[in-house]
Amino acid sequence: MRNAILIAWREFAENAKTRGFWFGILLFPMIWIIGAQVPAFLAKKGTPTRNFVLVDRTGRMGSVVEAALERDEQRRQGEAFREWASARMLAGRSLPAFKGEFDLGRALGEVRPLLRTNVGNFEAPSPRFRRVGPPPGVSIEGDLNAVEGELRGWLREGRSYVPADGRAPVSLFAAVLILEGKTSNAAPVLRFWSENQADTALREKIENALSTDFRLREYVRLGIDSKVVSRVENARAEVVNLSPRKAAGEERVGIADLLRQWAPSAFVYLLWVAVFSIAQMLLNSVIEEKSNRIIEVLLSSVTPVELMAGKLLGIGAVGLVMVGSWIGTLFLVGFWMAGSASAAGAATGGASGLPMELMTLLGDSWILPAFALYFLLGYVLYSAVILAIGSTCNTIKEAQNYMGVIVLLMMVPLVAMTFIPRDPNGPIATFLSWIPPYTPFVMMNRVTAGPPMRDVLGTLVLLVACDVLAIWTCGRIFRSAVMRTGQPASMAQMWRWVRGL
Amino acid sequence: MSHAVELESVSKRYGDFRAVDGLSLSVPEGCIYGVLGPNGAGKTTTLRMILGVVEPTSGRVSVLGQGSAMSVRERVGYLPEEKGLYRKMKASAVIAYFATLKGMSRRHAELRAHELLDRHGLGLFAGVKTEALSKGMGQKVQVLASIAHDPELVILDEPFSGLDPVNQGVLEEIVRDLKVRGRTVLLSTHVMAHAERLCDRVVIISGGRSLFDGTLEEARRVVPAKVRIRTTDSLEALQDLPLLRELRSLGDGRWEFELEEGADPQAVLEACFANHVRLSHFSATEATLHDAFVRMVGPAAREASYR
């Protein structure tokens, strides 16, 4: 036992020194931070102002489009301002609700007394879309085909120019042509030219503006009260989402219930990454000792069983630390977000308590204990198999052949993760639960859905039995194979080892 | 005299292949014992069986009075044939780690590691990762790791391979030092010069069988002594010398006498005087271990199909 612990300690210390370990520890926090911050950052800074040329052949739609874009821009500025201001409020003060159209000057005047001193100035974000004058030498009055032909050239070459009404050079994102409809009562036609077909925001906004305007005018023309229409159009059937499994009076399904349904998937993924990355460490560790023959010195000092136990313990501890750090980060980020969300919630009057709900869910449900249990049981199963594989191979390359099969088999729970939450106690989920290599992942996925006790205990007993069997079988292979050099063992050879021949 | 290691008709089969075939040997305590043999003779397998790393198919192994080296592993040190270290560990940490596996306390092992590195001129490299060491240094570190726990029995498999002559000399010093301190050293090699300088006793194995087991002196005696003379006189009178095995003419008046085992070359000289053979040249060559080895193993080694 002393030797197993010595080996475990070395494995732990050496693996904890590797870059891979620290990368693993920092990876998840980084993904979370990036996942939370980058889209917001990109939305703010990433998308440059899109310049477009507008050719309006209807004579009226140009101003409609510009007014719509302007309203949109005001709303954006308002949001940016609110975000800026709410982070700089005096303690105990909350942001007033701005009514009507947003006006930066008025809003600043209202809010300034509530802000801390020395907060600096609000920097309005640059506009998303800007109508610019046509490139020099392009007349937008002439024949449509000729206009389009010229604009097309500018768009394709992406050349920048200084428009007649501007100072800074711009490059065109799109050319927008609005034509009369085919018949007198038809909606206008939007011809949208752009190299970038992925960013559809501008096209959609213009399309909406044109459609809305056309509809309104049609209602007027047909003598229909547009207010009535809008009221009718906005009518929705009232939906109350209820769950029979909840106590009377609390049947209403809220965000917490959706979270309860989907949060386990995140933990399945965490489990998968954890098991897989430490399995890789284990493989490397065995192969290192095999390939440079340290194994011989080790086996003259310790028994193969001690060696195997030491490796399982040491690298298992590495995995636990890694997973523990991920969950710790999750809690930290969760509490931090819950804190700022409740402050923001109080400020805006709305409730964005998602992180709060998540924390409550983690505190109340079986998620964390199940995660710990299934992590350990799953780790033992997979690592035993990987130790056996490692012991029969001399190089990582040889081992990759076997690992390919393992990875393929391990993909199943990852795929299943996407549909199990929809039917967590259905036949497929139940069936997969009873396959021991998948039990940890699939049962983890079902943990908040109240799976039948028969499934929980039955699969647990089966998994534990399978762990014991795997340790025993793989231990025999390990013992016989680990001293071998030369070709990797054949399946038949491994079977003989298992039978003790 | 008690024995540090005893093998009694030990065999190891891998499928149909007999790596070691009915080998018996005894290593007296406190001596340097060489296991000699050509490539593929079964040296490494023999050492592994002594260590208990490989189970013999049949036969009996006794190490330091125990039936298995595992029960006395704290008292045995081992340097395997293929040398390797944990690449990312520091030199001192590797030595200390292996010493703790042999039962030393961690603190004691670390002190001992530094002491050994200092004593063998590697003190500056104690904190260097082993991947940054030269091959010779790495091998020295590994030798130190195998003796850090001050074992009574040290088993070295091809310890000199891959070392330059200076470092081979250093290693020979370490081995002699072990003997001076009363330790038993069992080493395998196919370089006869090392065995000749170091070993008290040798076993020569080939094809898994023992061809010879005894002292160096006994080994050399297996090879007949040779005497070379140069004369213009007739040698007819010497043809019937009782100790003569073969007399060959090398041309130009030069002759070579191959003598019976144990014969004294001086007898040839005396016979020449007695028979009035005038000599312009006389030389007696003493057999080396190399000659003995080639003589014993040569035919077998050439016939053997190597792995």
Side-chain angles (χ1 to χ4, degrees):
Chain A
M1 196 57 205
R2 175 182 179 271
N3 284 334
I5 289 170
L6 282 171
I7 290 168
W9 173 247
R10 196 202 76 87
E11 291 291 347
F12 181 81
E14 288 305 309
N15 276 295
K17 271 190 236 160
T18 59
R19 260 177 243 126
F21 173 77
W22 288 102
F23 192 68
I25 291 244
L26 296 175
L27 184 68
F28 267 74
M30 260 152 63
I31 287 178
W32 273 318
I33 290 166
I34 290 170
Q37 297 299 326
V38 164
F41 178 80
L42 284 183
K44 236 181 258 171
K45 315 263 170 176
T47 326
T49 299
R50 304 292 202 190
N51 297 303
F52 63 96
V53 169
L54 187 91
V55 179
D56 177 21
R57 287 294 164 94
T58 64
R60 4 171 257 288
M61 300 317 287
S63 50
V64 169
V65 167
E66 281 197 82
L69 291 179
E70 177 61 29
R71 274 198 305 280
D72 213 62
E73 191 55 39
Q74 291 287 350
R75 194 161 51 239
R76 229 177 116 245
Q77 299 256 343
E79 275 164 20
F81 177 75
R82 204 165 286 134
E83 197 182 309
W84 174 84
S86 64
R88 290 165 179 75
M89 302 297 291
L90 284 169
R93 296 308 191 100
S94 58
L95 210 57
F98 302 110
K99 291 199 180 62
E101 236 169 65
F102 176 76
D103 179 89
L104 183 58
R106 202 180 68 215
L108 260 179
E110 268 181 58
V111 164
R112 188 58 91 180
L114 307 177
L115 294 183
R116 298 194 298 265
T117 47
N118 304 327
V119 292
N121 289 323
F122 171 65
E123 262 179 59
S126 57
R128 278 191 77 186
F129 308 109
R130 184 167 56 209
R131 181 180 176 179
V132 297
V138 177
S139 159
I140 57 172
E141 303 301 330
D143 172 59
L144 187 69
N145 283 335
V147 173
E148 282 196 338
E150 286 189 66
L151 286 174
R152 189 180 176 161
W154 280 88
L155 283 169
R156 202 174 45 221
E157 288 155 30
R159 269 188 289 156
S160 53
Y161 64 93
V162 181
D165 52 355
R167 285 184 303 259
V170 298
S171 73
L172 278 188
F173 169 73
V176 178
L177 292 94
I178 303 170
L179 317 176
E180 291 286 5
K182 299 274 176 347
T183 61
S184 58
N185 285 338
V189 175
L190 167 65
R191 288 173 69 83
F192 189 86
W193 291 85
S194 181
E195 280 267 286
N196 184 342
Q197 292 293 329
D199 188 350
T200 57
L202 178 63
R203 199 194 65 216
E204 280 164 9
K205 283 193 195 311
I206 297 177
E207 182 190 339
N208 276 339
L210 293 178
S211 306
T212 311
D213 179 72
F214 175 73
R215 281 190 214 123
L216 278 174
R217 279 187 291 107
E218 278 297 279
Y219 292 140
V220 174
R221 189 175 67 82
L222 297 169
I224 302 169
D225 183 349
S226 63
K227 287 206 185 85
V228 175
V229 171
S230 107
R231 187 173 59 76
V232 171
E233 272 188 351
N234 286 330
R236 290 274 182 281
E238 194 186 333
V239 177
V240 184
N241 210 352
L242 299 165
S243 164
R245 293 206 293 110
K246 302 184 84 179
E250 289 175 7
E251 301 94 336
R252 195 175 276 268
V253 175
I255 192 163
D257 300 280
L258 283 178
L259 206 59
R260 181 170 284 274
Q261 196 178 353
W262 288 99
S265 290
F267 282 85
V268 173
Y269 189 65
L270 220 56
L271 190 65
W272 196 88
V273 173
V275 168
F276 199 64
S277 52
I278 61 177
Q280 195 67 39
M281 280 184 196
L282 198 60
L283 187 66
N284 286 341
S285 142
V286 179
I287 301 254
E288 181 190 16
E289 285 171 2
K290 262 213 92 173
S291 67
N292 59 21
R293 309 302 298 156
I294 296 170
I295 198 84
E296 247 179 271
V297 184
L298 287 175
L299 289 183
S300 71
S301 311
V302 305
T303 62
V305 175
E306 284 172 325
L307 182 59
M308 192 165 144
K311 284 197 175 299
L312 281 180
L313 280 178
I315 295 187
V318 172
L320 270 182
V321 168
M322 207 150 80
V323 167
S325 83
W326 293 345
I327 294 188
T329 323
L330 180 73
F331 267 97
L332 279 179
V333 172
F335 277 123
W336 173 66
M337 277 172 39
S340 64
S342 61
T348 55
S352 86
L354 185 72
M356 202 63 154
E357 298 283 6
L358 183 62
M359 289 302 107
T360 320
L361 176 65
L362 292 185
D364 292 351
S365 72
W366 282 96
I367 289 185
L368 290 179
F371 184 77
L373 178 71
Y374 286 127
F375 170 73
L376 287 178
L377 293 177
Y379 165 69
V380 168
L381 182 58
Y382 281 95
S383 56
V385 173
I386 278 166
L387 273 179
I389 289 176
S391 67
T392 63
C393 300
N394 298 305
T395 60
I396 284 283
K397 213 169 176 182
E398 284 170 9
Q400 295 298 355
N401 295 332
Y402 293 96
M403 286 305 287
V405 180
I406 302 257
V407 173
L408 213 62
L409 288 175
M410 278 183 81
M411 288 310 288
V412 173
L414 213 55
V415 174
M417 188 175 101
T418 56
F419 55 79
I420 284 177
R422 288 181 213 283
D423 194 7
N425 294 321
I428 298 180
T430 307
F431 172 70
L432 288 177
S433 302
W434 285 89
I435 302 175
Y438 299 152
T439 303
F441 304 104
V442 179
M443 287 309 287
M444 185 69 228
N445 224 340
R446 299 173 63 190
V447 72
T448 53
M453 215 20 111
R454 181 199 56 199
D455 280 14
V456 176
L457 292 181
T459 57
L460 193 63
V461 168
L462 190 63
L463 179 58
V464 170
C466 198
D467 275 2
V468 173
L469 182 71
I471 289 276
W472 184 82
T473 313
C474 296
R476 298 200 80 134
I477 294 179
F478 184 85
R479 222 168 47 190
S480 310
V482 80
M483 276 298 295
R484 263 171 60 110
T485 49
Q487 279 191 317
S490 66
M491 282 293 176
Q493 178 66 57
M494 286 190 216
W495 179 236
R496 279 200 294 278
W497 287 331
V498 171
R499 290 190 353 233
L501 294 176
Chain B
M1 190 194 286
S2 56
H3 290 107
V5 177
E6 281 184 290
L7 299 189
E8 265 174 49
S9 49
V10 166
S11 297
K12 178 67 189 177
R13 278 199 308 273
Y14 293 103
D16 294 332
F17 178 73
R18 288 166 183 273
V20 175
D21 194 4
L23 184 68
S24 298
L25 57 83
S26 326
V27 180
E29 264 178 18
C31 83
I32 303 178
Y33 190 93
V35 178
L36 315 182
N39 298 325
K43 300 188 294 282
T44 296
T45 307
T46 303
L47 297 188
R48 284 178 179 172
M49 285 192 290
I50 292 171
L51 284 158
V53 172
V54 167
E55 282 288 309
T57 314
S58 64
R60 200 182 67 82
V61 178
S62 149
V63 180
L64 299 174
Q66 300 291 317
S68 144
M70 279 322 263
S71 50
V72 286
R73 58 194 180 192
E74 282 88 2
R75 294 156 63 195
V76 180
Y78 175 45
L79 175 77
E81 180 180 8
E82 283 169 86
K83 318 294 188 288
L85 292 163
Y86 291 108
R87 294 166 48 76
K88 299 286 177 194
M89 279 177 90
K90 291 173 185 163
S92 63
V94 171
I95 296 176
Y97 175 59
F98 285 127
T100 55
L101 286 183
K102 292 288 195 181
M104 278 179 113
S105 75
R106 190 187 298 274
R107 234 181 73 82
H108 191 182
E110 269 164 26
L111 286 175
R112 173 88 174 139
H114 282 280
E115 179 207 319
L116 279 174
L117 287 168
D118 282 341
R119 195 195 304 159
H120 293 99
L122 287 172
L124 287 176
F125 296 93
V128 172
K129 283 184 184 171
T130 64
E131 63 186 349
L133 297 178
S134 71
K135 189 178 173 193
M137 283 189 218
Q139 201 159 326
K140 238 194 239 178
V141 167
Q142 210 176 348
V143 171
L144 297 182
S146 68
I147 60 170
H149 56 296
D150 200 17
E152 292 162 48
L153 170 66
V154 184
I155 297 178
L156 309 170
D157 198 354
E158 299 285 355
F160 301 101
S161 69
L163 289 181
D164 63 47
V166 174
N167 279 308
Q168 288 181 0
V170 171
L171 184 51
E172 283 185 18
E173 276 311 305
I174 294 177
V175 172
R176 278 196 203 97
D177 181 52
L178 286 167
K179 185 193 167 185
V180 167
R181 289 190 295 117
R183 310 301 178 218
T184 309
V185 180
L186 181 58
L187 62 87
S188 82
T189 182
H190 54 241
V191 181
M192 295 306 126
H194 296 303
E196 193 144 38
R197 281 200 293 272
L198 283 172
C199 295
D200 303 310
R201 292 180 73 88
V202 294
V203 61
I204 297 178
I205 57 178
S206 177
R209 293 163 182 272
S210 165
L211 302 179
F212 172 86
D213 186 0
T215 63
L216 281 182
E217 197 49 47
E218 287 164 351
R220 287 193 203 103
R221 254 186 265 141
V222 172
V223 183
K226 284 179 187 154
V227 171
R228 284 185 181 183
I229 61 167
R230 189 165 184 177
T231 180
T232 48
D233 298 340
S234 160
L235 293 180
E236 205 149 329
L238 296 178
Q239 298 278 9
D240 301 326
L241 271 180
L243 45 78
L244 182 66
R245 186 181 275 176
E246 205 184 330
L247 177 59
R248 272 193 301 270
S249 166
L250 301 173
D252 198 19
R254 288 180 295 133
W255 298 84
E256 185 178 77
F257 293 75
E258 196 175 308
L259 305 185
E260 290 293 347
E261 215 171 281
D264 185 357
Q266 203 62 34
V268 177
L269 199 56
E270 282 167 13
C272 286
F273 280 128
N275 292 288
H276 307 291
V277 176
R278 279 167 300 173
L279 304 175
S280 58
H281 173 89
F282 177 92
S283 64
T285 50
E286 205 184 37
T288 60
L289 188 57
H290 182 96
D291 300 326
F293 182 82
V294 171
R295 186 179 176 91
M296 284 187 262
V297 169
R302 268 185 227 114
E303 285 158 22
S305 57
Y306 296 128
R307 274 178 292 174

